Amino acid sequence: MKNVLVVIPVREGHKEKLEKAGKDCVFVYSSAESITNEELERANVIIGNVPAGRLGACRELEWLQLNSAGADGYVKPGVLKAGVILTNATGAYHKAVAEHMFALMLMLQKKLHLYRDNQNKSLWADEGEVVSVSDCRVLVVGLGDIGQHFARLTKAFGGYVIGVKRRKSPCPDCADELYTSEKLNEVLPSADVVVSFLPGMEANRHIYTEESFRLMKKTAVFLNGGRGNAVDTAVLYNALKNGEIAAAGLDVTEPEPLPADNPLWRLPNVMITPHISGWYHLPETFERIVDIAAENLAAYTTGGELKNIVDFETGYRK
């Protein structure tokens, strides 16, 4: 009999689904903010993102199912004891995050951010030419679950998609070209839009450098919907301020929250949202998380194969 600690905000229907999947388990429902050390000590399975610093209290933990797609805070040495299985929620966030970032792209291409600024000043003014997605080469860096959904949206609008991912593989239908990460600087100059969905692993830290922005078109739009540490905020600010790129749409920044005195806030060619593209703002996202957890719990208790197992070396799903 396994002790399952659930720290995501489930309702009765969700509890029924989880308890049906782990019918011989004992369930404890709590939250990431209110869990006790006693609950952590007893847990064989945890469903949800317990603060990484609290996991040292877990004496009997065998498997941690995250409610996030990113696992960077949990693969660091010493966070989880050897032998603990880590799975993420890849497959839950693609619609929410991709659509949010696609909306930011359209907003910047159609200059809606400028018209909103003008509205706040009661200013009736024409902001000039705009861009159509159908005329754009869109570079998707991180062609995973979320990146592929963004690519499909782009293709549906008639855009040309260039994908970049870590490992070599056949080019998926949602992309026109596919390259591995070491080719990033070679493909940056041809892109009208660069959208990043990279997780916050150390290998991706500040991957977009001063040189990266100099290589981009001056008319290019940069979007970041992965993790903020992919680009140094000062480097991005300078690129935007100096006209090396045209605009940026950010749902993530370094640091978070972005300090109120950071000059990035005051650039007219930037649209910033406070890391809200994912989470549970789209209700379907949470339903998908519960489904992933339930499917994995059923597999775990019957000796089946778990989905979304995370590789501790890379931080990515295996």
Side-chain angles (χ1 to χ4, degrees):
M1 184 178 295
K2 302 295 184 182
N3 295 314
V4 180
L5 174 60
V6 180
V7 298
I8 56 176
V10 289
R11 298 186 296 275
E12 286 306 313
H14 302 130
K15 291 179 181 180
E16 290 176 9
K17 183 175 289 187
L18 291 172
E19 289 171 14
K20 182 179 179 180
K23 58 184 178 180
D24 295 323
C25 297
V26 176
F27 286 80
V28 173
Y29 297 96
S30 185
S31 71
E33 295 75 30
S34 63
I35 46 173
T36 66
N37 280 343
E38 184 179 2
E39 289 170 339
L40 291 171
E41 288 171 4
R42 292 179 177 178
N44 303 118
V45 175
I46 297 176
I47 297 174
N49 287 29
V50 169
R54 298 288 307 278
L55 289 171
C58 296
R59 297 179 179 177
E60 306 296 332
L61 186 63
E62 300 171 5
W63 163 44
L64 170 61
Q65 169 68 59
L66 299 177
N67 58 258
S68 63
D72 41 290
Y74 296 88
V75 296
K76 296 176 182 177
V79 173
L80 290 171
K81 294 179 181 178
V84 174
I85 300 169
L86 178 65
T87 56
N88 67 15
T90 294
Y93 291 92
H94 60 275
K95 182 185 286 188
V97 178
E99 287 185 359
H100 183 94
M101 299 311 297
F102 197 81
L104 284 181
M105 178 178 71
L106 288 176
M107 171 175 273
L108 293 166
Q109 289 182 329
K110 302 303 181 185
K111 299 184 177 178
L112 300 184
H113 59 302
L114 299 182
Y115 288 108
R116 181 67 181 189
D117 290 347
N118 290 346
Q119 179 180 338
N120 288 335
K121 295 181 287 188
S122 303
L123 178 62
W124 188 280
D126 190 326
E127 294 294 342
E129 291 184 355
V130 296
V131 176
S132 171
V133 179
S134 63
D135 299 323
C136 289
R137 293 171 65 89
V138 178
L139 176 59
V140 181
V141 185
L143 199 66
D145 188 53
I146 297 170
Q148 288 193 33
H149 195 76
F150 186 96
R152 285 191 287 271
L153 291 174
T154 301
K155 294 289 285 182
F157 274 66
Y160 188 91
V161 175
I162 306 165
V164 169
K165 58 183 297 188
R166 284 186 311 124
R167 297 173 180 168
K168 189 174 182 179
S169 68
C171 187
D173 292 341
C174 62
D176 297 286
E177 301 176 28
L178 181 63
Y179 300 90
T180 50
S181 302
E182 61 268 17
K183 299 288 186 180
L184 178 59
N185 281 358
E186 295 181 26
V187 293
L188 282 174
S190 68
D192 298 295
V193 177
V194 178
V195 54
S196 180
F197 292 114
L198 295 175
M201 306 307 299
E202 186 59 30
N204 297 328
R205 185 175 182 273
H206 296 174
I207 193 171
Y208 302 103
T209 62
E210 292 179 358
E211 180 187 6
S212 301
F213 292 108
R214 285 195 294 266
L215 287 170
M216 295 182 197
K217 295 180 179 180
K218 292 186 180 299
T219 54
V221 171
F222 176 74
L223 306 170
N224 193 359
R227 287 294 183 267
N229 68 352
V231 57
D232 182 274
T233 302
V235 169
L236 178 58
Y237 172 82
N238 289 331
L240 289 159
K241 182 72 173 177
N242 298 333
E244 292 173 357
I245 58 173
L250 311 172
D251 187 51
V252 292
T253 61
E254 183 186 58
E256 291 183 2
L258 188 66
D261 61 353
N262 191 289
L264 201 60
W265 284 112
R266 288 174 287 283
L267 286 178
N269 53 343
V270 179
M271 183 64 196
I272 300 172
T273 55
H275 202 154
I276 46 76
S277 64
W279 196 233
Y280 309 143
H281 294 90
L282 183 67
E284 180 183 320
T285 300
F286 188 74
E287 300 302 322
R288 287 178 180 270
I289 290 168
V290 173
D291 287 345
I292 290 168
E295 184 177 342
N296 269 349
L297 185 57
Y300 192 75
T301 54
T302 58
E305 184 176 350
L306 275 66
K307 294 173 56 177
N308 296 350
I309 294 177
V310 175
D311 183 343
F312 281 85
E313 292 296 320
T314 67
Y316 290 84
R317 179 179 59 166
K318 290 183 179 179

